[in-house]
Amino acid sequence: MPAESFPLIVGIGGTTRAGSSSEKALMVSLRAAQAEGAQVIAVAGPALDLPMYAPEKKDRSSEAARLVDLFRRCDGLIIASPSYHGSISGLVKNALDYTEDLSSDERVYFDGCAVGLISCAAGWQGAGQTLSALRAIAHSLRGWPTPLGAMLNTSTKVFDDAGACLDLSAKFQLETVGRQVVQFARLHNADRIGTS
Ligand SMILES: Cc1cc2nc3c(=O)[nH]c(=O)nc-3n(C[C@H](O)[C@H](O)[C@H](O)COP(=O)(O)O)c2cc1C
């Protein structure tokens, strides 16, 4: 099957810290998306450490230009953020601000794209607030948040060192998000992407 028959799902998230829970969570969802038949590309952790988005500048670092290109080409997106002071982290928000480069595209922002959302926090309150913030951002970018968003409470151990998810509820949520992004991409692009 040609590559374009497989939806391209781009995952962004994590922190600059190696082994962050949000990066591990992102990878669990992306693996589920891949198992569902997607091509997946992750831009995670330190790879998201981009220059502060500046609307007046048109020159982009090569890393930022690559991210904008992936945003432009993706059929769906998965975003994983830690909860920082009740909202998403600056690292993830700055990366998302680069979507402004898509504001004049034929497909504006994430119009027609499913967006899977994951928040990791040290408590349920922060996890809920951060998931709500992610949903608001996905809506403002014309994306379609998946029915299930994943909330992880990292005050207890959720992942092992290799990134395997130890918590069955978290695993279910992350894998469901990954699958739902691919299922929506297929529904929305049935003319271009195979439906099974
Ligand atoms: C700067 C900072 C701010 C944080 N603010 C919150 C918060 O408001 N609510 C919360 O539940 N956890 C908060 N946390 C805890 C993180 O959200 C939590 O440890 C999360 O799992 C970190 O994700 P990571 O493992 O991907 O780094 C904060 C952590 C940091 C470093």
Side-chain angles (χ1 to χ4, degrees):
M1 226 187 275
E4 56 278 12
S5 304
F6 301 93
L8 172 62
I9 307 302
V10 170
I12 69 163
T15 75
T16 54
R17 186 172 67 81
S20 71
S21 57
S22 42
E23 182 171 348
K24 287 176 177 168
L26 176 68
M27 299 317 289
V28 171
S29 272
L30 285 176
R31 282 196 291 274
Q34 194 169 36
E36 194 72 13
Q39 317 168 57
V40 301
I41 298 178
V43 184
L48 277 186
D49 193 3
L50 304 172
M52 189 61 67
Y53 178 75
E56 75 284 8
K57 292 189 184 154
K58 292 300 162 210
D59 55 318
R60 300 282 175 238
S61 69
S62 56
E63 293 80 8
R66 175 173 178 263
L67 184 66
V68 170
D69 176 60
L70 289 172
F71 283 160
R72 195 163 268 145
R73 290 193 293 117
C74 73
D75 298 299
L77 197 76
I78 300 176
I79 307 169
S81 176
S83 173
Y84 277 6
H85 306 141
S87 192
I88 78 168
S89 69
L91 186 86
V92 172
K93 183 63 168 63
N94 185 51
L96 286 168
D97 286 344
Y98 277 91
T99 55
E100 197 54 26
D101 286 7
L102 279 58
S103 64
S104 304
D105 282 13
E106 191 178 337
R107 183 187 87 183
V108 178
Y109 303 128
F110 297 131
D111 197 6
C113 290
V115 187
L117 302 166
I118 301 164
S119 76
C120 296
W124 292 118
Q125 180 171 283
Q129 287 168 330
T130 302
L131 182 62
S132 293
L134 284 166
R135 282 196 176 121
I137 292 167
H139 279 141
S140 75
L141 293 174
R142 306 191 191 185
W144 297 58
T146 54
L148 186 73
M151 292 197 302
L152 275 59
N153 184 338
T154 59
S155 61
T156 56
K157 195 171 165 68
V158 180
F159 298 100
D160 69 13
D161 290 345
C165 196
L166 305 171
D167 180 300
L168 287 182
S169 164
K171 187 169 186 283
F172 171 79
Q173 291 178 67
L174 295 169
E175 291 181 345
T176 302
V177 165
R179 279 196 300 273
Q180 287 185 342
V181 170
V182 179
Q183 287 161 0
F184 182 87
R186 284 220 167 88
L187 285 173
H188 195 74
N189 300 287
D191 51 337
R192 184 172 56 84
I193 297 170
T195 49
S196 61

